[in-house]
Amino acid sequence: MKLTIDKFQQLHSISTLEMNDFDKSIKLVQVLLDKTEKEVEKIPIKKFERICKKLEQAFNLNMDEAIKSKPKEIIKANGRRYKLNFEVTKEPFNTGRYIEVATFADGNTIMNMHNILASIAQPMVFNWNKLKWECLPYNALLHEQYADDLKHADFKHGYHALVFFCQFLMSSIPGSKDYLEIVMNQQTKNQLSKMQLLPTF
């Protein structure tokens, strides 16, 4: 069972619903097995319980695998290949990408996992002349398309990106705050200087 970002987000949404555990189980099985509610309701109760146990074990294995595995730079999502950029001090990562990641991470990080990935990803194409894969330039106008593709990526890739950038943002915020205060103070001083130069009537 491949646990995609989209499936994980659906499971997360179901886990927050206010309903009894049995009804939640039905919805969780629907998502994990790609079944309709009617199909799940037709399953005999004993078989349903066995399925739930197997799915719980599979889900735990997927989570353990995600935690233990190492981040990958090149991933496949929705039939396309993407390069994830973890080097925040180098192009194509820039201030715009930083603001995007910070904005998406400021909300519901799990439900924005695909958006965070889309902000650090570059689509790749195969160059037949050079016989190798190459990155296309990041196109902010295509962010939504990248994000839709990346919903189909393996959950572990989203997990590592989330952990990496949450740690990065937490460590960079104090420095950013100090820098922003300096910039704001300088702008305030400049504004005051300009006001003093204005003629009085």
Side-chain angles (χ1 to χ4, degrees):
M1 178 189 68
K2 183 184 175 183
L3 184 62
T4 63
I5 290 171
D6 184 44
K7 276 192 179 180
F8 186 83
Q9 289 171 330
Q10 289 179 60
L11 296 173
H12 174 72
S13 292
I14 292 165
S15 71
T16 62
L17 294 173
E18 288 186 20
M19 58 170 58
N20 65 56
D21 288 343
F22 185 73
D23 288 339
K24 274 188 188 179
S25 296
I26 289 172
K27 288 192 174 294
L28 293 170
V29 169
Q30 277 179 249
V31 170
L32 288 166
L33 295 182
D34 294 315
K35 301 273 186 193
T36 65
E37 189 174 349
K38 284 184 179 178
E39 287 174 325
V40 173
E41 285 174 353
K42 285 179 184 175
I43 299 171
I45 192 73
K46 295 246 180 199
K47 188 178 179 183
F48 180 77
E49 287 173 358
R50 284 197 304 272
I51 289 169
C52 286
K53 281 182 184 174
K54 282 183 180 177
L55 288 175
E56 185 182 0
Q57 289 169 350
F59 182 78
N60 288 336
L61 281 173
N62 270 295
M63 289 299 293
D64 288 343
E65 185 190 333
I67 292 163
K68 289 174 185 173
S69 65
K70 292 182 179 178
K72 275 181 78 175
E73 274 191 2
I74 310 295
I75 66 168
K76 288 182 183 176
N78 203 25
R80 293 188 177 94
R81 192 177 287 228
Y82 284 89
K83 180 182 181 191
L84 302 182
N85 298 293
F86 290 101
E87 294 191 53
V88 293
T89 57
K90 294 182 180 177
E91 288 288 338
F93 202 81
N94 56 31
T95 307
R97 302 291 75 74
Y98 174 88
I99 292 167
E100 276 182 10
V101 171
T103 303
F104 289 125
D106 193 38
N108 187 332
T109 50
I110 290 172
M111 298 311 288
N112 278 322
M113 194 182 288
H114 59 298
N115 286 314
I116 292 169
L117 276 184
S119 295
I120 66 165
Q122 278 181 280
M124 300 182 77
V125 291
F126 192 76
N127 185 325
W128 288 99
N129 292 329
K130 297 179 183 177
L131 296 175
K132 67 175 186 175
W133 287 91
E134 293 182 342
C135 290
L136 292 173
Y138 178 85
N139 185 340
L141 298 174
L142 297 176
H143 184 276
E144 194 174 330
Q145 181 190 311
Y146 302 160
D148 286 343
D149 280 346
L150 290 160
K151 277 190 168 194
H152 301 280
D154 198 312
F155 164 74
K156 64 187 172 194
H157 304 312
Y159 170 82
H160 284 299
L162 209 59
V163 169
F164 175 84
F165 278 97
C166 283
Q167 288 175 343
F168 168 71
L169 290 169
M170 291 303 290
S171 63
S172 70
I173 285 169
S176 300
K177 186 183 171 198
D178 293 342
Y179 172 74
L180 289 172
E181 281 179 6
I182 291 167
V183 170
M184 286 174 70
N185 286 336
Q186 188 61 48
Q187 286 177 347
T188 306
K189 284 177 187 173
N190 290 344
Q191 289 279 334
L192 288 170
S193 299
K194 285 177 186 174
M195 286 174 72
Q196 287 168 359
L197 295 171
L198 288 173
T200 53
F201 295 100

